[in-house]
Amino acid sequence: MGADDGRRVTITAIAREAGVSVPTVSRVLNGRSDVAPDTRERVEELLRHHGYRRRTSRSVRRAGLVDLVFNDLDSPWAVEIIRGVEDVGHGAGVGTVVSAIHRQPTAARQWLQNLRTRATDGVIFVTSHLSPPLHAQLRRLNVPVVVVDPAGVPAMDVPTIGATNWAGGLAATEHLLAIGHRRIGFVAGPTHLLCSRARLDGYRAGLEAAGVPVDDALIYPGDFYHASGFAGGTALLDLADPPTGIFASSDQMAFGVYEAIRRRGLRVPDDVSVVGFDDLPEARWASPPLTTVRQPLVEMGRLAARTVLRLAQGEGIDSPRVELATELVVRDSTAAPLTGSPAST
């Protein structure tokens, strides 16, 4: 890469080539004195070689916008992410442009074409796969990118924000095991998402650690939406030996499981316990209030916004891969299984 590619190089790439941290490169750029002379010389040489030009605060003022791109916007989960991004944007005097590309290549191309006609300080993609061609075009536009809950493994210089999905799946399963359940169903999320696979792995790990065999008949594929939760709950309850507890890997699917249980004339948690994942605002107002794994969705949005704005200013970030902690919130949708529960008749 030569000096004529300077607009494309990032401080993450400079740091990797120099064998130092991103904050160290940022300190060199900011003229800080707390950098060893030989390190400073090596970093400055690479900056000159690649023709790195730092984005200044004037460019932020000129754009004053951050793009937030979803595949779909028909979920309360998306609203929580938007709240977090807008919280930070409002404080920084930066507006938020929200788009949905519906997993369609033509929509993604149209979005990119629109982006070329205006300025933006950065782009936040949510549960998306940032393809190499799209990433390359954004780099050519000198637009920093952050991905929330990536669908695949993004390039090393693309920061990602997620949650401890594996630990959350483990905690939900351990909770059901601790109160006496041994036949535990699982309604999974989309298999192409890393967060979905991590929650399933946490469920499997919890069962295996307790010496409970993993029964693939108890795992139903879902898509995070209510209808697939209803379908999964119905299928699990139709088994000859149905589960006494069901872990749905999103709150919306958990509400679908509620509906399946009620249509069978059963009750939550008397006959079947239910655990969700997300802790959407609706979870506490459900009937009964839903036991769930709290995912810090608003804070994930805030952190994504803070990260992309720092990159837009040419500043370093502490880590390119951040996972915020999940937390099990126990409410009234889980209880010890009843002997001779109607769910097993």
Side-chain angles (χ1 to χ4, degrees), residues 317-333:
I317 57 175
D318 295 332
S319 173
R321 303 285 181 266
V322 178
E323 287 191 344
L324 301 181
T326 52
E327 176 189 3
L328 180 71
V329 180
V330 179
R331 297 193 178 102
D332 298 336
S333 67

Side-chain angles (χ1 to χ4, degrees), residues 66-87:
V66 166
D67 278 76
L68 179 58
V69 182
F70 293 86
N71 281 313
D72 297 292
L73 281 170
D74 53 354
S75 166
W77 183 91
V79 174
E80 298 300 292
I81 296 289
I82 294 171
R83 282 180 52 204
V85 172
E86 289 193 329
D87 280 352

Side-chain angles (χ1 to χ4, degrees), residues 7 55 58-68 94-97 111-123 138 141-144 312:
R7 291 185 55 183
R55 289 172 62 93
R58 289 183 62 190
S59 65
V60 174
R61 293 289 184 266
R62 188 163 56 246
L65 293 173
V66 166
D67 278 76
L68 179 58
V94 174
T96 305
V97 180
W111 170 82
L112 184 61
Q113 183 61 38
N114 291 339
L115 190 69
R116 291 193 183 101
T117 66
R118 59 177 172 81
T120 186
D121 297 323
V123 179
L138 290 170
L141 294 172
N142 204 22
V143 174

